[in-house]
Amino acid sequence: MSTRLTPEQLRSHRWFGADDLRSFGHRSRIKQIGYSEEDFAGKPVIAIINTWSDINPCHFHFKDRVEAIKRGVIQAGGFPLELPAIALAENFQKPSTMMYRNFLSMETEELLRSYPIDGAVLMGGCDKTSPALVMGATSADYPAIFFPAGPMMKGCWKGNVLGSGSDTWKYWDELRAGNITECDWRDIENGIARTPGHCMTMGTASTMTSAVEALGLCLPGAASIPATMADHSRMAAECGRTIVDAVWADRRPSSILTREAVENAAVTVLSLGGSTNAIIHLIAIARRAGIAFSAEDFEEFAARVPLLANIRPAGTHLMEDYYDAGGLLAQLKNLRSLLNTDALTINGRTLGENIEVSDHCDTDVIRTMDDPVTSVPALKVLKGNLCPDGAIVKPSTVNPQRMVHRGRALVFDNYADLKARIDDPDLDVDETTVLVLRGAGPVGAPGMPEWGMLPIPKKLLEAGVRDMVRISDARMSGTSYGTCVLHVSPESAVGGPLAVVRTGDEISLDIPNGTLDVVLSESEMEARRQQLVAPDFSADRGFVKLYRTHVEQAHLGCDFDFLAGVGNPEPEIW
Ligand code: FES
Ligand code: MG
């Protein structure tokens, strides 16, 4: 017999249903807003955590969608309350939205815990918003459903389809190589992002919304619906109806986020050719749910999971095509032999039951297991004296000639140094040089920005070079590509080996064998370590200070050291 709560068992009953002085205050003040007993008495209170803001183009339709969600909540007999939270607009926020991910997770957890909330709809999609909202809701552990923003429609320039991020990098290189004009570049600027919605390539946004759906926290099919379609509004209302039912059924994140669910998300990300950022985010989400999950766990699946989504940057299409081809549900149906289909989802059904209804109608956009886009693994974890706690690379976007490489390091101490020197015509560099960027990790930057696809030096671009081996303690956008070794851990700012590498040292990369080393003796590395001067962060204040003091390294998910696990049970006295 499945659980059904009574109105007296709702958490919000303590605020609105009790018969005491405090509840008098709560009821009189909610009535001050204009609500009556008919609106709230005995009903589940649903928080709609809305990451809308004037500066987030990916969430620009959330002002409308929130009304559809409220409609669904009311239809199902709930009481919706919209609670705004920090927007994390990927393209605008410096030094990186990653520095704010944990803060949005804290804000989410605290909003849910401190107010009379029974369940939540989490409105996100732009890169870090999805993991942040899910991390916060996992720690709060009240019933929660994720509402994905949906991808924007395709871009266009002179008949060429444009995809966010990927085509920005591509045409930027062509501009610097002199192959397109400033006027072309301006036209591309006007044509690359034309509707609300998140990036429509397989960047971090599409990767993470799909991962959250595979975790079981979305309605089936929700992650693939383009932002501006009518289907998206209908899905919003259905989210509202579903969360009310999930509250009565007491269906909490802790009953959904099992190890099997995390494995489903990892398999999904790999089969999408998804963003490397997903590794950090899924490790962090898993740790909030009390599940130990590592990059090595990801890698184990990578050897078995083929790339099925033919979407840029690893493939050729965009999210709009993917939706029309059947979307994530169709892909999961193709993948079902690798999934834990018994995993519970937020609608009360299993993942297997959810994917059973899907239709697959384009075998180019969504491939079958025996006809993948590529069987080159989507992820490789590297270990060696340059990355004792690991580094990662995305072999599916690596130039095959660079899979095994030895070359001379050219070291940039930080991003400012890189920007100042990379296009210097006198830079001592050729296509075999290994570009190294340090000072770009979680503590160093801070926030581990997406600087990991280091630009190719201008003089090499003009000579036709489009890929080189690049190594950093940074992340890389999911829309980026190339032979980029990322997430080197521990990072240079905390004394990791990247800090002792010097220009001219020989670097050895072997992706098939999973190694990354600097050709130096341990005694030489130790001697150099003794000379290191720790970076001075004494001028830090506010969020930056809190972040630098408590952030963990990339291989642990970059969460704060005080946030792992589910929150404390709340005292009845509150
Ligand atoms: Fe928001 Fe890409 S900028 S998803
Ligand atoms: Mg991105």
XYZ file of all heavy atoms in Angstrom, residues 257-289:
238
model
N 17.198 9.237 -5.433
C 18.635 9.350 -5.733
C 19.435 8.215 -5.093
O 20.130 8.394 -4.098
C 19.164 10.714 -5.290
C 18.551 11.896 -6.044
C 19.148 13.207 -5.571
C 18.749 11.749 -7.544
N 19.326 7.059 -5.703
C 20.095 5.887 -5.277
C 21.346 5.772 -6.145
O 21.498 6.494 -7.137
C 19.249 4.625 -5.501
O 18.911 4.581 -6.902
C 17.970 4.662 -4.675
N 22.204 4.847 -5.810
C 23.381 4.612 -6.651
C 22.960 4.219 -8.069
O 23.560 4.642 -9.051
C 24.265 3.520 -6.043
C 25.525 3.355 -6.846
C 26.578 2.463 -6.280
N 27.702 2.536 -7.201
C 28.695 3.385 -7.073
N 28.770 4.193 -6.056
N 29.655 3.434 -7.990
N 21.884 3.427 -8.167
C 21.399 3.007 -9.495
C 20.988 4.227 -10.325
O 21.232 4.289 -11.524
C 20.199 2.047 -9.355
C 20.543 0.663 -8.851
C 20.985 0.628 -7.389
O 20.526 1.486 -6.610
O 21.809 -0.243 -7.034
N 20.353 5.199 -9.673
C 19.935 6.404 -10.390
C 21.152 7.196 -10.870
O 21.174 7.715 -11.999
C 19.062 7.272 -9.486
N 22.170 7.292 -10.019
C 23.384 8.028 -10.407
C 24.068 7.312 -11.573
O 24.544 7.946 -12.525
C 24.336 8.194 -9.202
C 25.634 8.857 -9.625
C 23.664 9.016 -8.096
N 24.074 5.997 -11.532
C 24.652 5.243 -12.662
C 23.857 5.514 -13.939
O 24.442 5.682 -15.014
C 24.637 3.741 -12.348
C 25.646 3.343 -11.288
C 25.581 1.860 -10.925
O 24.734 1.130 -11.475
O 26.391 1.448 -10.083
N 22.539 5.571 -13.827
C 21.723 5.888 -15.009
C 22.098 7.252 -15.581
O 22.179 7.427 -16.799
C 20.235 5.886 -14.641
C 19.689 4.482 -14.455
O 20.298 3.510 -14.912
N 18.554 4.368 -13.782
N 22.329 8.218 -14.702
C 22.700 9.558 -15.166
C 24.070 9.527 -15.837
O 24.275 10.166 -16.883
C 22.695 10.540 -13.995
N 25.008 8.771 -15.273
C 26.348 8.702 -15.859
C 26.296 8.056 -17.250
O 26.897 8.562 -18.210
C 27.275 7.909 -14.934
N 25.547 6.958 -17.368
C 25.417 6.284 -18.670
C 24.778 7.237 -19.682
O 25.194 7.330 -20.845
C 24.579 4.992 -18.510
C 24.140 4.442 -19.861
C 25.372 3.947 -17.731
N 23.782 7.975 -19.226
C 23.095 8.924 -20.115
C 24.049 9.995 -20.613
O 24.113 10.293 -21.817
C 21.912 9.561 -19.358
O 21.019 8.520 -18.977
C 21.189 10.581 -20.207
N 24.804 10.575 -19.698
C 25.755 11.634 -20.075
C 26.743 11.107 -21.115
O 27.026 11.766 -22.127
C 26.506 12.148 -18.823
C 27.716 12.982 -19.208
C 25.558 12.950 -17.934
N 27.261 9.913 -20.894
C 28.248 9.357 -21.819
C 27.623 9.087 -23.184
O 28.237 9.341 -24.224
C 28.832 8.067 -21.231
C 29.705 8.291 -19.980
C 29.889 6.994 -19.204
C 31.057 8.876 -20.370
N 26.398 8.611 -23.207
C 25.764 8.289 -24.487
C 25.351 9.553 -25.241
O 25.063 9.516 -26.425
C 24.534 7.405 -24.268
O 23.502 8.158 -23.664
N 25.322 10.668 -24.523
C 25.016 11.955 -25.166
C 26.272 12.634 -25.693
O 26.192 13.649 -26.389
C 24.372 12.911 -24.150
C 22.951 12.605 -23.689
C 22.607 13.431 -22.458
C 21.956 12.881 -24.812
N 27.464 12.127 -25.331
C 28.690 12.864 -25.631
C 28.660 14.164 -24.849
O 29.071 15.215 -25.319
N 28.168 14.080 -23.609
C 27.870 15.281 -22.831
C 29.098 15.997 -22.300
O 30.234 15.537 -22.418
N 28.802 17.127 -21.673
C 29.837 18.015 -21.149
C 30.655 17.342 -20.043
O 30.103 16.648 -19.180
C 29.155 19.252 -20.580
O 30.039 19.978 -19.765
N 31.947 17.602 -20.050
C 32.827 17.110 -18.980
C 32.425 17.699 -17.623
O 32.727 17.121 -16.585
C 34.282 17.474 -19.278
O 34.335 18.834 -19.722
C 34.864 16.571 -20.346
N 31.749 18.835 -17.640
C 31.294 19.427 -16.376
C 30.369 18.487 -15.611
O 30.278 18.541 -14.385
C 30.512 20.720 -16.639
C 31.429 21.859 -17.004
O 32.504 21.983 -16.459
N 31.005 22.682 -17.940
N 29.667 17.625 -16.343
C 28.707 16.732 -15.705
C 29.393 15.815 -14.700
O 28.766 15.381 -13.727
C 27.977 15.908 -16.770
N 30.647 15.501 -14.934
C 31.360 14.607 -14.006
C 31.444 15.279 -12.638
O 31.101 14.686 -11.610
C 32.755 14.281 -14.572
C 32.581 13.550 -15.895
C 33.575 13.468 -13.582
C 33.809 13.557 -16.752
N 31.878 16.525 -12.631
C 31.976 17.265 -11.363
C 30.597 17.382 -10.707
O 30.434 17.132 -9.508
C 32.576 18.666 -11.615
C 34.036 18.532 -12.039
C 32.445 19.550 -10.378
C 34.707 19.851 -12.367
N 29.603 17.741 -11.504
C 28.267 17.972 -10.928
C 27.649 16.683 -10.389
O 27.039 16.684 -9.314
C 27.331 18.585 -11.969
C 27.771 19.933 -12.456
N 28.333 20.877 -11.635
C 27.722 20.498 -13.691
C 28.605 21.968 -12.347
N 28.247 21.759 -13.585
N 27.790 15.586 -11.130
C 27.171 14.335 -10.659
C 27.882 13.796 -9.426
O 27.240 13.222 -8.538
C 27.151 13.286 -11.773
C 25.968 13.404 -12.737
C 26.061 12.354 -13.833
C 24.624 13.285 -12.031
N 29.190 13.988 -9.356
C 29.910 13.590 -8.135
C 29.356 14.392 -6.957
O 29.089 13.851 -5.877
C 31.430 13.814 -8.301
C 32.011 12.803 -9.302
C 32.154 13.724 -6.957
C 33.455 13.065 -9.694
N 29.148 15.686 -7.171
C 28.651 16.550 -6.088
C 27.223 16.166 -5.688
O 26.903 16.077 -4.492
C 28.710 18.012 -6.513
N 26.359 15.917 -6.677
C 24.973 15.523 -6.365
C 24.980 14.202 -5.597
O 24.288 14.042 -4.579
C 24.134 15.396 -7.661
C 23.924 16.776 -8.303
C 22.788 14.724 -7.387
C 23.330 16.730 -9.711
N 25.780 13.243 -6.078
C 25.834 11.929 -5.430
C 26.291 12.067 -3.979
O 25.724 11.455 -3.067
C 26.769 11.000 -6.206
N 27.294 12.902 -3.760
C 27.796 13.069 -2.389
C 26.730 13.688 -1.482
O 26.664 13.374 -0.293
C 29.076 13.901 -2.398
C 30.281 13.091 -2.911
C 31.452 13.987 -3.256
N 32.019 14.670 -2.097
C 32.981 14.173 -1.318
N 33.480 12.982 -1.568
N 33.454 14.873 -0.310
N 25.919 14.591 -2.035
C 24.817 15.129 -1.228
C 23.846 14.013 -0.827
O 23.225 14.065 0.227
C 24.038 16.196 -2.008
C 24.800 17.488 -2.262
C 25.021 18.278 -0.996
N 25.680 19.540 -1.302
C 25.063 20.723 -1.341
N 23.774 20.807 -1.068
N 25.742 21.810 -1.627
N 23.694 13.024 -1.726
C 22.776 11.921 -1.431
C 23.466 10.809 -0.647
O 22.879 9.742 -0.438
C 22.206 11.370 -2.742
